[in-house]
Amino acid sequence: MSILTQMVLIEKHGLRVDLDHLAGILDTTAPNIRRKISERTFPIPTYIDGAKRWADVRDVAEYLDAMRQQARQAHGAGLPVSG
């Protein structure tokens, strides 16, 4: 996992992000994330604290780095990138 990705996310969002901020990072919507969580298909671990659901920025950074690596491998192999 890239320490740079972690630091950028921490600087901008803090150590954890709620679903609204997570949706902004992932360019999706909070309801879409909630649906995927309930279907158990959301790739980033989340937890409930108080009245909100949160994700740790380290897990978000790990996911973003993995997606970057997947894209780089597909690009290098001349494969279409699925998402």
Side-chain angles (χ1 to χ4, degrees):
M1 168 178 22
S2 166
I3 191 75
L4 178 61
T5 306
Q6 281 187 50
M7 296 312 297
V8 168
L9 288 172
I10 289 170
E11 178 73 25
K12 187 168 183 175
H13 301 285
L15 294 175
R16 64 185 190 169
V17 291
D18 64 18
L19 289 190
D20 290 326
H21 285 99
L22 184 57
I25 293 168
L26 300 177
D27 194 27
T28 188
T29 64
N32 187 38
I33 293 174
R34 283 188 196 89
R35 179 183 55 78
K36 288 182 177 185
I37 290 169
S38 72
E39 293 172 349
R40 298 182 187 265
T41 60
F42 191 64
I44 300 170
T46 63
Y47 60 94
I48 296 173
D49 184 19
K52 286 189 173 185
R53 184 171 287 274
W54 302 89
D56 187 294
V57 292
R58 293 170 293 188
D59 294 324
V60 178
E62 185 175 336
Y63 172 78
L64 293 174
D65 289 341
M67 291 298 97
R68 178 177 182 260
Q69 184 61 31
Q70 180 183 354
R72 290 175 58 85
Q73 288 173 344
H75 179 76
L79 301 173
V81 178
S82 64

